[in-house]
Structure formats: structure tokens, C-alpha cells
Amino acid sequence: MLTDLFSPSVQHSLDLVGIFVFAISGALLAVRKNFDVFGMTVLAEVTALGGGVLRDLIIGAEPPAAFADLGYFLTPMLATLLVFFLHPEVERITKAVGVFDAAGLGLFCVTGTMKAHAYGLGLTFAAALGVATAVGGGVLRDILAHEVPSLLRWDRDLYAVPAMMGATMAALLIHFDALSATTSVIPVLTAFVLRLLSMHFHWRAPRAWHRRSAAAEEV
């Protein structure tokens, strides 16, 4: 279990940081969509907790952690209040928010993989749920905001690929019985750095070969 690698207080603190940053991105999208404060809260909660709830429901961890820990539930509300009152200032530091979002991506893809494996899933499916933990909330956020999920758009910097790398590395460490508090940092940092590099250099996944150039671009 996760507590074998990190103390409960450390794990809880890391989770709250990741939840807070993901919630910020959800609340900011709600502002851009001209949602009211309730809509902002919903998007913040879904973005921050959606992936973890999906994972916990699939592996049978009931109730999901999001509904068993008041801190998990209240942290997105705190993020919503921050954006509600200070969204121009928060918008101006979107690059910094992007860095923390990348850190949350790296953390959640690894901890999601570890938790799924601890509940009995094979390594392949555990890694898949690790990716879902990291990116699922963003997909639900975009769907609720009536947008094509950024995860599926070719004109967005790599997001799922860094999560896949981190989750796969975590699964390999588990397979070789090499996962520890120290080695678990490696896949987290890999996903984090890869996401930062993709943001800086605008790396994107390739589209279909021989794609008709005359086809309309969707933006």
C-alpha cells in the first residue's frame, strides 16, 4: 500500500497539493466559460477528484477517498474561492499553475498505479488506471464545459503521454520489486519533466499518416 512508502501525513499532504492545483485549472476554465460560482465549484471538484473517484470505483475502494476525507472535498472549494476573488491575478500566473499541474500529473499517475495494484489489479491495468487517475478529471471537466477534451486534441501539448510514461515506469518498478519511497520519485519526475518539456517545446502527438491536407482543422 501507499503507506508502506510514505507516511500517512506525507501522502495526504501530497494528495491535497495535487487536488488543489487541478481544482485551480477547473475553476479557471469555468471563469472563461462565464460560469457562476456554483459552476466554478462543480468544475473544480470534478477536475480535482474525478480521476481518483473513477479509479476507486473500478478497484472497489469504497467509499472513494474523495468522499471519505473532508480535506479532499473541501480543498477544491478553497481553490474556487481563490479563483473567484483573484482570478485576474491567478490568470497572470498560469505558467506557474502549469508547473504545479505537471507535478500533480506526475504524482497522481504514479500513486494511482500503486493503489490500483495494491487492490489486486495486474500491472498493465494498474498502469492504465494510473493514467486515468491523472487525466480523468480533466476529461470530465472539458465534457461538462462543452469542449472537446484537450486530451483528444492534436493541437494541445502532450499530456497523456507523460502520464503513461510515469505509470508504466511505476508498474515496472513494482514488477521488479524495486519500488520504494526513493525509487518512486523517478517515475514522478519523469512524467513531470516530460510534461514541462512538452509545454515548453509544444510537443504534440502525431496525427494519421497521409492525412488529407485539405481537411478542415477543428479549433
Side-chain angles (χ1 to χ4, degrees):
M1 293 295 289
L2 300 183
T3 52
D4 294 333
L5 298 181
F6 304 104
S7 68
S9 60
V10 171
Q11 178 62 40
H12 190 257
S13 298
L14 291 174
D15 284 346
L16 290 180
V17 170
I19 288 170
F20 182 79
V21 175
F22 281 173
I24 288 285
S25 69
L28 284 174
L29 178 59
V31 171
R32 297 185 193 114
K33 289 289 185 175
N34 203 30
F35 288 4
D36 62 16
V37 66
F38 179 76
M40 291 173 62
T41 304
V42 169
L43 278 196
E45 293 278 359
V46 166
T47 307
L49 304 175
V53 170
L54 174 65
R55 175 205 61 215
D56 288 350
L57 290 176
I58 290 175
I59 65 178
E62 297 178 353
F67 297 98
D69 189 307
L70 190 60
Y72 288 179
F73 192 75
L74 293 180
T75 297
M77 295 184 181
L78 177 61
T80 300
L81 287 176
L82 179 67
V83 174
F84 182 81
F85 289 107
L86 300 173
H87 67 86
E89 288 76 12
V90 175
E91 286 278 13
R92 282 196 287 268
I93 60 170
T94 50
K95 286 187 177 180
V97 172
V99 171
F100 285 107
D101 181 84
L105 181 79
L107 174 67
F108 282 6
C109 72
V110 173
T111 58
T113 301
M114 292 160 56
K115 184 171 183 178
H117 182 262
Y119 273 77
L121 265 67
L123 291 177
T124 299
F125 298 111
L129 272 189
V131 176
T133 304
V135 306
V139 171
L140 294 174
R141 173 201 64 205
D142 292 343
I143 291 174
L144 287 176
H146 299 290
E147 291 200 347
V148 176
S150 56
L151 187 71
L152 305 179
R153 296 184 57 167
W154 73 271
D155 58 341
R156 294 292 188 269
D157 302 332
L158 294 179
Y159 197 78
V161 172
M164 291 169 62
M165 287 292 295
T168 299
M169 291 179 67
L172 288 174
L173 287 172
I174 294 172
H175 175 72
F176 291 106
D177 197 25
L179 189 66
S180 67
T182 300
T183 60
S184 65
V185 175
I186 298 173
V188 172
L189 286 179
T190 298
F192 173 62
V193 172
L194 185 56
R195 171 58 180 162
L196 290 184
L197 289 174
S198 72
M199 291 166 59
H200 181 75
F201 294 107
H202 302 296
W203 290 343
R204 293 164 185 172
R207 290 183 285 174
W209 284 19
H210 307 302
R211 180 179 174 276
R212 293 178 56 188
S213 60
E217 302 284 2
E218 183 178 352
V219 296

